Amino acid sequence: MSKKQIRKLLGALPQDGRFRMADVDPASTPGLKSRKRLTRDRNQDRVTLFGLQERMFAERKRSILLVLQGMDTSGKDGTITHVIGGLNPQGVWITPFKAPTPEERRHSFLWRIRKRLPGQGQVGIFNRSHYEDVLIARVHDLAKPAVIERRYALINRFERDLVRQGTTVVKVCLHISYAEQRRRLVDRLRDPDKNWKFNVNDVDERAFWDDYMSAYSLAITNCSTPLAPWYVIPANDKDYRNWAVTKILIETLEEMDPQYPHPKLDIPRLIKRLKA
């Protein structure tokens, strides 16, 4: 597969500039020619991604922010386990954003986000993110439409500044179907070892499915930019989801091309000292 191919396939903004979640089949597997490829690529991609991350960690000049969004059960936790789990944990900072605390509500919606940005050399992972403030806020009328419109502009400015400061922003929307979400929720109820994952609120939120699809479509249309594009990954197939996210991270890091630093060392003298 040529470089950038997966990113081109999954880049969310079409030529007319308007994105619609309904146009993406959550059961599709764009870019995957055969199921055998999932198995064949898994180990090699893991090694490749680890090596690229190590170079960025050693270079300590730039960072990556991976934003994971999606409906409940879409696979955000699974992606972290199966994709990010293969990275060196020293260079990874994971933040699962929940409902804002009273202190966080007293500040701008980006205040808590800024506190969790990755440092130089790090891969930062947002499990949910600042986009909650234009998604759930729109669906449940937690902010006025005019406020949400302003937030789109604030998000674009925020992400643009991050990129200019050396952080590559990778935004991934994991897209599952209404029927697939039901199947996963039922699985959690039927498996005693998964009951702890079940949240009764997830059932209530299903009533707002169409509203969420509209909110995602608007957020991606307004906030998929050349500097910080959105990638919408069909996520009914968990193996494909992991493969696609891994490919996007590999292509992103290959384009960044981090380099190992080469400090000035008197290597012969140091080796001689170590022999003593």
Side-chain angles (χ1 to χ4, degrees):
M1 178 170 293
S2 62
K3 291 183 180 179
K4 300 184 183 179
Q5 185 171 347
I6 283 292
R7 288 192 291 173
K8 286 181 178 179
L9 282 170
L10 298 173
L13 209 58
Q15 289 184 352
D16 67 3
R18 297 177 60 193
F19 174 76
R20 306 163 190 83
M21 290 291 282
D23 291 340
V24 178
D25 178 1
S28 62
T29 56
L32 183 65
K33 295 182 179 179
S34 71
R35 300 292 302 177
K36 292 181 180 179
R37 179 153 198 161
L38 292 174
T39 303
R40 187 177 75 238
D41 287 359
R42 185 177 296 123
N43 291 336
Q44 182 56 52
D45 284 350
R46 194 179 182 93
V47 171
T48 300
L49 186 57
F50 184 92
L52 288 164
Q53 182 222 2
E54 183 180 64
R55 281 161 49 185
M56 187 179 72
F57 183 70
E59 184 186 66
R60 292 184 184 272
K61 292 181 179 179
R62 294 168 288 174
S63 60
I64 285 181
L65 175 61
L66 174 62
V67 173
L68 293 174
Q69 287 286 159
M71 296 295 287
D72 297 312
T73 76
S74 62
K76 298 180 290 294
D77 291 343
T79 299
I80 291 171
T81 298
H82 297 287
V83 178
I84 307 305
L87 299 181
N88 184 335
Q90 292 185 91
V92 176
W93 198 14
I94 301 171
T95 303
F97 284 103
K98 306 296 184 183
T101 64
E103 180 188 14
E104 290 168 344
R105 289 194 189 97
R106 290 194 292 269
H107 295 82
S108 161
F109 76 101
L110 290 172
W111 180 77
R112 65 175 183 162
I113 304 298
R114 296 182 190 278
K115 294 175 66 176
R116 303 298 297 181
L117 293 173
Q120 291 181 338
Q122 289 186 321
V123 178
I125 316 294
F126 284 177
N127 184 341
R128 301 187 187 274
S129 67
H130 43 298
Y131 281 92
E132 292 297 295
D133 292 279
V134 294
L135 293 170
I136 191 171
R138 180 179 285 277
V139 171
H140 290 293
D141 297 320
L142 302 178
K144 294 180 179 179
V147 171
I148 293 175
E149 291 298 322
R150 287 198 295 271
R151 286 177 180 174
Y152 294 141
L154 289 171
I155 287 172
N156 287 339
R157 187 185 311 157
F158 167 67
E159 293 175 350
R160 182 186 66 227
D161 290 344
L162 284 182
V163 173
R164 289 176 175 174
Q165 293 163 12
T167 297
T168 297
V169 181
V170 180
K171 300 182 296 191
V172 169
C173 176
L174 303 176
H175 183 34
I176 59 171
S177 67
Y178 185 76
E180 176 64 15
Q181 188 196 55
R182 179 188 180 279
R183 188 187 68 78
R184 294 182 186 185
L185 288 172
V186 169
D187 285 347
R188 289 182 181 182
L189 287 172
R190 289 177 173 170
D191 186 344
D193 293 338
K194 292 183 179 179
N195 286 172
W196 66 274
K197 290 184 175 183
F198 191 86
N199 187 333
V200 175
N201 186 57
D202 292 348
V203 179
D204 298 330
E205 288 297 284
R206 280 172 60 78
F208 300 95
W209 186 274
D210 290 342
D211 294 328
Y212 273 108
M213 294 300 101
S214 176
Y216 269 100
S217 298
L218 287 168
I220 292 171
T221 295
N222 282 282
C223 298
S224 192
T225 66
L227 286 177
W230 269 103
Y231 302 101
V232 178
I233 296 183
N236 277 10
D237 185 322
K238 296 178 182 180
D239 289 334
Y240 172 78
R241 173 200 73 203
N242 297 335
W243 178 83
V245 175
T246 301
K247 291 294 187 185
I248 286 172
L249 288 174
I250 287 174
E251 291 179 9
T252 299
L253 277 160
E254 286 179 338
E255 188 173 90
M256 292 171 67
D257 193 25
Q259 299 296 315
Y260 288 115
H262 296 286
K264 293 182 180 180
L265 298 172
D266 187 343
I267 294 176
R269 183 176 68 84
L270 290 170
I271 290 176
K272 184 176 181 181
R273 288 182 61 192
L274 286 169
K275 289 181 179 178

